[in-house]
């Protein structure tokens, strides 16, 4: 059998501290896989620079000169982890038989990559890396992550528990994935929906060995909210439900009020008035806001804007528009 060409996609945002070490470890993994004749010798590590403000892109270029496995693409600005990943996957898909995505900080065990490839060779199209334990994460991260999985499950979004974006996908799985044209692509949810033969590989999650997390609470919340609203209409149904419940309660209250009135027990109900006005008002505002959120999504989708723009592509040998423009200008 022809050995598969593997590309490891690594999104990087301000990762100058970790990049050289990541490249070193990933190269070692690739080399040993090539020596074992498990993958093709032209396999690659594709760094996706997600509009970093530090020396990340310079480092990627430097690594490329020294290391024949390293290659990179540079996005035109910071698009966020998910978009950077998608950009990498779609770029890598063209040349590769299978693609593995892993974070630049190597919190995910590079040792699991070999197991991924073995599963792929057995005929699996999607291999999920799943964390055994989360001891190395901060208590806060663990709590928020757990809350996230619970909430998603409750909202009816099918996710692989404790699986982040460390996974292998075959070419045909990636081709299916790129048929999902939505701008707000929630990768973990969509991949879980693709189908195909899937396998799971367990590993221990480590600590970030350098640099700081690029996922502050704000980005985490945005991520969770995006996941929910692009996959589930449960929040909108909840509004209907709450509306129905409050209608039922108010009818009961109406009966009670009528009886009190008729039996002459009605007093000037200032408190209950105030409370209900505020309660209903709040409920309405919240509901309208939530529905607006979905309408916003529809608005974004109908515009069909590109998910990301690549400024420079050193992997496929294609340069983005801006680079081509400067080259043309130089020639003139
Ligand atoms: N990342 C990115 N764009 C962003 C934020 C993060 O490409 O806007 C990358 C980052 O460089 C890393 C990965 O996404 O490779 C995961 O980020 P991080 O390790 O900071 O997240 P955490 O592990 O703390 O959840
Ligand atoms: Mg990390």
């Amino acid at each position: 059998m022809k050995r598969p060409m593997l590309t490891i996609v690594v999104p990087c945002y301000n990762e100058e501290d970790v990049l050289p070490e990541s490249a070193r470890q990933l190269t070692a993994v690739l080399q040993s896989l090539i020596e074992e004749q498990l993958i093709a010798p032209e396999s690659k590590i594709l760094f996706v620079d997600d509009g970093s403000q530090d020396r990340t892109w310079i480092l990627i270029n430097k690594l490329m000169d020294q290391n024949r496995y390293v290659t990179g693409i540079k996005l035109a600005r910071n698009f966020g982890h998910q978009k950077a990943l998608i950009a990498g996957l779609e770029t890598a898909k063209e040349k590769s038989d299978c693609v593995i995505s892993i974070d630049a900080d190597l919190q995910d065990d590079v040792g699991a990559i070999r197991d991924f490839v073995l599963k792929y060779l057995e005929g699996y199209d999607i291999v999920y890396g799943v964390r055994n334990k989360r001891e190395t994460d901060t208590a806060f991260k663990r709590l928020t992550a757990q809350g996230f999985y619970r909430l998603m499950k409750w909202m009816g979004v099918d996710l692989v528990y404790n699986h982040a974006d460390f996974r292998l996908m075959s070419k045909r799985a990636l081709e299916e994935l790129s048929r999902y044209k939505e701008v707000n692509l929630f990768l973990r949810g969509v991949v879980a929906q693709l189908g195909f033969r899937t396998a799971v590989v367990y590993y221990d999650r480590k600590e970030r060995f350098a640099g700081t997390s690029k996922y502050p609470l704000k980005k985490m919340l945005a991520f969770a909210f995006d996941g929910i609203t692009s996959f589930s209409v449960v929040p909108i149904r909840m509004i209907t439900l709450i509306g129905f419940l409050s209608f039922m309660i108010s009818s009961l209250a109406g009966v009670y009020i009528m009886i009190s009135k008729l039996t002459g027990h009605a007093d000037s109900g200032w408190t209950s008035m105030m409370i209900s006005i505020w309660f209903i008002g709040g409920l309405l505002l919240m509901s309208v806001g939530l529905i607006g959120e979905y309408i916003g999504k529809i608005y974004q989708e109908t515009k069909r804007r590109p998910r990301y723009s690549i400024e420079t592509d050193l992997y496929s040998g294609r340069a983005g528009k801006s680079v081509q423009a400067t080259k043309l200008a130089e020639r003139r």
Side-chain angles (χ1 to χ4, degrees):
M1 199 181 96
K2 192 183 141 277
R3 275 167 287 154
M5 149 108 188
L6 167 73
T7 300
I8 302 178
V9 169
V10 191
C12 311
Y13 177 55
N14 294 343
E15 297 285 12
E16 59 180 8
D17 294 334
V18 305
L19 215 57
E21 177 61 16
S22 306
R24 201 186 59 74
Q25 289 193 27
L26 289 171
T27 306
V29 171
L30 269 195
Q31 265 170 344
S32 76
L33 287 175
I34 291 169
E35 264 162 41
E36 269 191 86
Q37 312 232 325
L38 290 173
I39 57 170
E42 56 276 10
S43 295
K44 292 276 182 227
I45 304 164
L46 172 62
F47 289 108
V48 182
D49 176 17
D50 184 16
S52 303
Q53 287 104 35
D54 66 355
R55 294 175 58 248
T56 298
W57 184 240
I58 299 170
L59 279 178
I60 293 173
N61 276 278
K62 242 190 216 152
L63 285 165
M64 240 180 113
D65 292 338
Q66 303 158 357
N67 182 333
R68 66 193 203 82
Y69 300 108
V70 171
T71 175
I73 59 175
K74 176 177 168 50
L75 301 190
R77 61 169 168 88
N78 180 237
F79 282 87
H81 178 216
Q82 294 287 297
K83 304 259 162 73
L85 252 179
I86 295 161
L89 293 179
E90 289 196 328
T91 308
K93 179 188 77 176
E94 307 300 327
K95 287 195 195 171
S96 327
D97 299 302
C98 55
V99 178
I100 291 176
S101 47
I102 187 168
D103 288 350
D105 56 9
L106 300 190
Q107 284 186 285
D108 305 313
D109 184 11
V110 293
I113 290 177
R114 186 171 179 276
D115 300 327
F116 281 21
V117 172
L118 290 179
K119 288 280 180 207
Y120 170 77
L121 293 172
E122 275 174 41
Y124 290 96
D125 283 283
I126 301 173
V127 186
Y128 296 106
V130 171
R131 272 165 244 166
N132 272 330
K133 43 184 189 235
R134 275 182 168 264
E135 271 155 30
T136 50
D137 278 344
T138 57
F140 175 70
K141 186 106 198 171
R142 252 183 295 177
L143 209 72
T144 47
Q146 236 178 34
F148 172 68
Y149 287 109
R150 290 245 175 84
L151 187 68
M152 293 302 269
K153 195 172 178 136
W154 187 65
M155 293 275 172
V157 187
D158 222 356
L159 290 184
V160 179
Y161 192 70
N162 264 351
H163 158 69
D165 286 300
F166 184 32
R167 76 174 82 81
L168 176 143
M169 291 180 77
S170 70
K171 196 189 192 83
R172 67 173 181 172
L174 284 168
E175 251 147 32
E176 276 313 294
L177 180 71
S178 59
R179 291 178 57 209
Y180 286 67
K181 296 289 184 207
E182 59 221 72
V183 177
N184 293 292
L185 186 71
F186 185 63
L187 213 46
R188 278 177 225 180
V190 172
V191 172
Q193 275 195 348
L194 284 180
F196 293 108
R197 285 189 69 192
T198 59
V200 169
V201 167
Y202 292 93
Y203 67 95
D204 293 334
R205 185 158 159 104
K206 292 180 244 163
E207 253 165 86
R208 204 177 226 284
F209 67 85
T212 50
S213 173
K214 308 295 181 290
Y215 255 102
L217 183 63
K218 197 175 135 213
K219 273 191 186 174
M220 277 201 285
L221 286 178
F223 177 70
F225 203 71
D226 239 24
I228 293 166
T229 51
S230 52
F231 257 85
S232 160
V233 289
V234 170
I236 283 188
R237 274 199 211 125
M238 256 162 41
I239 290 178
T240 322
L241 189 75
I242 291 171
F244 180 70
L245 283 180
S246 78
F247 170 74
M248 293 299 283
I249 291 169
S250 60
S251 332
L252 288 178
V255 172
Y256 171 72
I257 289 165
M258 282 308 285
I259 294 174
S260 319
K261 181 97 186 156
L262 291 176
T263 52
H265 283 101
D267 13 73
S268 46
W270 186 77
T271 323
S272 57
M273 273 292 281
M274 285 313 272
I275 289 174
S276 50
I277 285 172
W278 282 96
F279 179 71
I280 302 286
L283 213 63
L284 279 175
L285 281 179
M286 195 185 76
S287 313
V288 169
L290 192 55
I291 290 173
E293 201 63 46
Y294 281 90
I295 293 178
K297 279 253 151 80
I298 296 171
Y299 174 62
Q300 281 177 348
E301 297 296 343
T302 51
K303 277 191 295 195
R304 298 225 149 257
R305 285 200 176 157
R307 290 182 197 134
Y308 53 84
S309 317
I310 296 175
E311 189 174 307
T312 317
D313 181 348
L314 302 170
Y315 179 81
S316 350
R318 270 182 278 133
K321 259 204 192 104
S322 59
V323 176
Q324 264 167 352
T326 40
K327 275 192 187 148
L328 277 177
E330 277 165 14
R331 239 180 269 157
R332 265 186 223 125

